[in-house]
Amino acid sequence: MGNPFRPTFGVTPPVLVGRDEQIEAFTEALDDGPGAPGRAMLFSGARGTGKTVMLNALEDAARLRGWLVISQTARSGIAAEMRDTQIPDLLHRHVSGIVRNQLSGLTVTSPVGGLGVTRLRVDDHPEVASLRSRLEILTDALAEHDTGVLITIDELHSGARRDLTVITQTVQHLFREEREIAFLAAGLPHDVAALLDHPGTTFLRRAEHYALMAVTDEEVREALQVPIEDNERTISAEALDIAAAGTRRYPFLIQLVGYHTWRADESAAEITAAHARQGVKAATRRLGRLVHEPALNSLSEVDLRFLLAVAQDDGPSRMQDIARRLGVDASYAGQYRRRLIAAGLVAPAGYGKVDVAIPYLREHLRSRPVRELT
Ligand SMILES: Nc1ncnc2c1ncn2[C@@H]1O[C@H](COP(=O)(O)OP(=O)(O)OP(=O)(O)O)[C@@H](O)[C@H]1O
Ligand SMILES: [Mg+2]
């Protein structure tokens, strides 16, 4: 039997747990028609909380309903790519020749085109207008089949702000025209927060915003046990306790712990407590390499020092202790606190307190080589 777990970013897990609420809200919104609030959703969450996998699941749900999907990762140039490549491709593959000719006519005559010209407003950006007119042709054609277009954008960040402005303004127009269109986007919390502050992307603020977080203990157990039993092995009650606790309810760790617990001894029919212990240990080591180190590498020296001061405590730290350890005043320490909260590395933990925000980051910081402490 092959290992059923999928500890790879962007790869759908064997059992996707804890996401029924969002999937249901989205599919209901597709069925309810234009104007349903769940047709625009925004997901934020730390690395490995399952943003990409969430988008994939919703794309699949849309495809099952006959919707076409335009899937993108935020970067500069995607608005033009959608307009010039992805939409023409979809038209070519799914829409009749008559409509295709409209599109080629449009390309030749003018970027604004004849369709929808009366609806254009003077403040329209030419790029918004042209992307919009193509999406109008596509949604017009799909309307005959009672389906629509889903646009998804993963890895939102402010570097792609210009393109995101063009795309979100376009989608906003199409929503207003009550077309069959849906929009989903996802990103790390501080990237999403930065974009929400930007006036060009106001539309994002109206989307239903879900902060993807830890799943429940029960869901973790299901996500571990079901793939094991589906693949003709069993896991003892004690082993399941150990493996589940080891994940700290963090989606990426469900897959990592599952994967390494499974492979501890593939010849054994039952996964034992010893296998689970070994699995958790191997998983946390890899987490350090895959998640903690990349996050720490992007920090400035002072930010790192703040984090190390937090990691000295076994639980939430009092800000006054942190300031004392760093030899700085409270308002100075407060600035680091805000920056690291925005980076998703620490989280507020009650009045005047902070705590590390990623599982095992405390342990990882404590075990880092001493030379990096200075
Ligand atoms: N709900 C879930 N149940 C079980 N496993 C999950 C769930 N969500 C995500 N995973 C697993 O966690 C890992 C990370 O998922 P994903 O790549 O979607 O995270 P992400 O939030 O997009 O991370 P990044 O910020 O790095 O892009 C994958 O191995 C995926 O299979
Ligand atoms: Mg991702």
Side-chain angles (χ1 to χ4, degrees):
M1 269 309 153
N3 195 321
F5 294 98
R6 294 288 172 265
T8 306
F9 288 100
V11 175
T12 298
V15 177
L16 181 77
V17 289
R19 305 296 183 231
D20 293 352
E21 179 198 341
Q22 292 91 347
I23 294 173
E24 224 166 88
F26 179 68
T27 52
E28 267 173 32
L30 293 188
D31 295 342
D32 286 350
R39 283 188 169 210
M41 287 184 178
L42 176 60
F43 300 99
S44 60
R47 266 221 100 185
T49 46
K51 299 177 295 297
T52 301
V53 153
M54 177 89 251
L55 292 182
N56 292 346
L58 299 178
E59 288 173 5
D60 288 347
R63 285 197 191 94
L64 267 178
R65 282 166 168 70
W67 281 54
L68 299 186
V69 178
I70 297 174
S71 165
Q72 275 290 7
T73 301
R75 69 197 137 72
S76 88
I78 55 169
E81 191 180 313
M82 281 170 62
R83 183 193 62 209
D84 299 334
T85 311
Q86 289 183 296
I87 298 170
D89 256 16
L90 288 174
L91 282 163
H92 191 73
R93 271 186 284 144
H94 299 279
V95 175
S96 76
I98 300 163
V99 181
R100 280 211 299 276
N101 290 339
Q102 281 180 347
L103 180 82
S104 48
L106 193 85
T107 320
V108 175
T109 51
S110 89
V112 172
L115 258 126
V117 119
T118 50
R119 285 191 295 261
L120 293 181
R121 291 187 345 210
V122 277
D123 61 351
D124 264 344
H125 214 279
E127 279 171 289
V128 175
S130 57
L131 177 60
R132 177 180 169 192
S133 61
R134 293 197 176 178
L135 278 168
E136 283 175 346
I137 294 172
L138 186 58
T139 47
D140 276 344
L142 294 174
E144 290 169 29
H145 307 282
D146 287 325
T147 68
V149 187
L150 166 64
I151 295 174
T152 73
I153 304 193
D154 200 2
E155 295 178 24
L156 290 179
H157 64 95
S158 332
R161 206 160 61 195
R162 223 181 138 268
D163 283 78
L164 293 172
T165 301
V166 170
I167 294 165
T168 53
Q169 290 185 356
T170 303
V171 172
Q172 185 168 9
H173 282 301
L174 299 171
F175 265 64
R176 233 183 261 146
E177 293 177 351
E178 306 221 318
R179 286 173 178 275
E180 293 288 350
I181 187 147
F183 178 83
L184 305 170
L188 296 169
H190 62 296
D191 290 330
V192 168
L195 276 171
L196 287 174
D197 273 347
H198 176 65
T201 49
T202 322
F203 177 72
L204 287 179
R205 270 178 246 156
R206 304 204 196 114
E208 287 191 352
H209 188 167
Y210 293 94
L212 291 183
M213 289 200 262
V215 297
T216 67
D217 183 56
E218 204 179 316
E219 287 160 348
V220 169
R221 287 164 181 276
E222 181 191 346
L224 289 169
Q225 190 171 13
V226 171
I228 291 169
E229 293 180 349
D230 280 353
N231 286 275
E232 275 130 58
R233 290 180 76 190
T234 54
I235 179 164
S236 75
E238 193 193 355
L240 187 57
D241 286 345
I242 293 166
T247 69
R248 303 211 179 158
R249 303 176 13 228
Y250 171 53
F252 183 41
L253 265 180
I254 298 176
Q255 300 309 314
L256 263 182
V257 167
Y259 185 84
H260 290 285
T261 297
W262 173 279
R263 63 177 293 195
D265 179 3
E266 295 200 23
S267 67
E270 175 156 278
I271 292 174
T272 64
H275 298 153
R277 268 186 219 105
Q278 204 177 317
V280 171
K281 207 167 148 207
T284 51
R285 250 197 329 263
R286 274 169 187 76
L287 187 71
R289 267 213 306 278
L290 296 169
V291 174
H292 299 143
E293 276 308 311
L296 298 179
N297 284 340
S298 65
L299 292 183
S300 70
E301 189 77 10
V302 270
D303 286 346
L304 185 59
R305 217 175 288 142
F306 182 100
L307 255 189
L308 288 164
V310 172
Q312 286 179 28
D313 294 309
D314 291 330
S317 308
R318 294 189 311 167
M319 278 304 293
Q320 63 194 79
D321 292 340
I322 301 299
R324 190 174 35 74
R325 280 172 204 160
L326 296 171
V328 299
D329 66 35
S331 83
Y332 196 71
Q335 287 172 26
Y336 291 121
R337 177 179 182 269
R338 270 193 297 281
R339 268 222 303 277
L340 287 164
I341 289 174
L345 290 169
V346 304
Y351 186 73
K353 289 187 177 170
V354 281
D355 202 355
V356 294
I358 305 180
Y360 297 102
L361 180 58
R362 186 192 317 281
E363 292 87 333
H364 183 80
L365 285 162
R366 288 179 178 180
S367 68
R368 282 185 115 215
V370 179
R371 65 185 159 77
E372 298 183 65
L373 291 172
T374 55

